[in-house]
Amino acid sequence: ILVTAAGTEEPLDPVRYLGNRSTGRMGFAVAAEAARRGAQVVLIAGPTHLVTPAGVRRVDVRSARDMYAAVCAAYDGVDAVIKAAAVADYRPVETAAHKIKKSDGELTLALTRNPDILYELGQKKRHQILVGFAAETQNVADYARGKLATKNLDFIVANNVAEKDAGFGVSTNHVQIFYADGRAEDHPLMPKAKLAGVILDRVEAILKQRTVT
Ligand code: C5P
């Protein structure tokens, strides 16, 4: 099982970066639970203070492009990808070699698109089960269903990060799961550790179904 977790850091200069509020808790919980169930787990993690779960092989990365390279290197050998990382959509066009000095007036940053890692995985999907996350602040179902289709996912775990107990930096989550066949499930507020089990139950069910048919 390949799990990605935490945010990415997109460097502006040697001391500054563009980042986001993801702490990595959701992905680390999935990696821990998958290892506990006996899976071989590779956890590709952006910068975080979290401790590596027992039995998990961890690869540390910083930027979205680092994460893309690490994920692609592992992709062929995995049965499922659970992409809990909050990947930066944009990076600075240039990373200054030296610390940017302040001057009077405005400073404008030019940004360019990062690769959409999950979209790329969806394009070259073979046997792999692909699970995405959608952190939204509005129109959760519409955006989540759109991403599910565009990125060629098996299911997507969507949450409204504007809710107090869901999303970044808290130990609970409140999600809906949308499936490629159109089904949707509402789940109650629960600890991320428990949600990790819910997600892995569904991955296991898809794997079992494939073994039978
Ligand atoms: O950022 P977005 O809402 O599109 O994220 C949906 C899913 O796509 C998440 O699972 C996230 O990890 C993944 N993603 C990615 N590469 C990006 C942006 C998002 O893999 N550049």
Side-chain angles (χ1 to χ4, degrees), residues 16 20 50 96 111 131 138 162 189 197 205:
R16 303 186 181 96
N20 62 65
L50 298 178
L111 304 177
V131 180
Q138 58 178 349
L189 183 70

Side-chain angles (χ1 to χ4, degrees), residues 188-207:
L189 183 70
M190 66 178 90
K192 286 180 176 171
K194 185 166 177 207
L195 178 58
V198 169
I199 293 166
L200 289 167
D201 286 346
R202 280 143 186 80
V203 170
E204 281 188 42
I206 299 171
L207 282 171

Side-chain angles (χ1 to χ4, degrees), residues 9-156:
E9 290 182 357
E10 309 301 318
L12 280 164
D13 70 15
V15 297
R16 303 186 181 96
Y17 59 83
L18 296 177
N20 62 65
R21 294 182 194 281
S22 171
T23 58
R25 283 198 215 182
M26 190 62 244
F28 273 59
V30 172
E33 178 60 16
R36 202 189 62 74
R37 293 179 180 205
Q40 281 179 33
V41 183
V42 55
L43 171 62
I44 299 175
T48 169
H49 296 298
L50 298 178
V51 174
T52 310
V56 167
R57 185 164 75 82
R58 172 170 170 180
V59 178
D60 285 318
V61 295
R62 261 192 89 189
S63 68
R65 284 189 294 176
D66 295 344
M67 183 171 281
Y68 183 47
V71 167
C72 288
Y75 190 47
D76 283 347
V78 301
D79 293 314
V81 179
I82 298 165
K83 227 174 162 309
V87 186
D89 293 322
Y90 294 89
R91 67 176 182 277
V93 171
E94 280 176 34
T95 302
H98 298 285
K99 189 179 166 193
I100 299 167
K101 304 304 288 178
K102 62 171 115 17
S103 57
D104 293 338
E106 291 177 358
L107 172 68
T108 303
L109 292 175
L111 304 177
T112 186
R113 275 294 301 268
N114 271 329
D116 187 324
I117 304 168
L118 196 48
Y119 173 82
E120 299 296 337
L121 299 186
Q123 293 288 303
K124 48 184 182 169
K125 179 172 170 176
R126 294 200 328 273
H127 58 281
Q128 294 93 344
I129 296 167
L130 292 185
V131 180
F133 279 75
E136 307 292 351
T137 57
Q138 58 178 349
N139 302 336
V140 177
D142 286 349
Y143 285 136
R145 284 208 171 92
K147 286 173 191 177
L148 174 75
T150 311
K151 302 193 189 203
N152 195 17
L153 308 180
D154 291 82
F155 64 91
I156 190 159

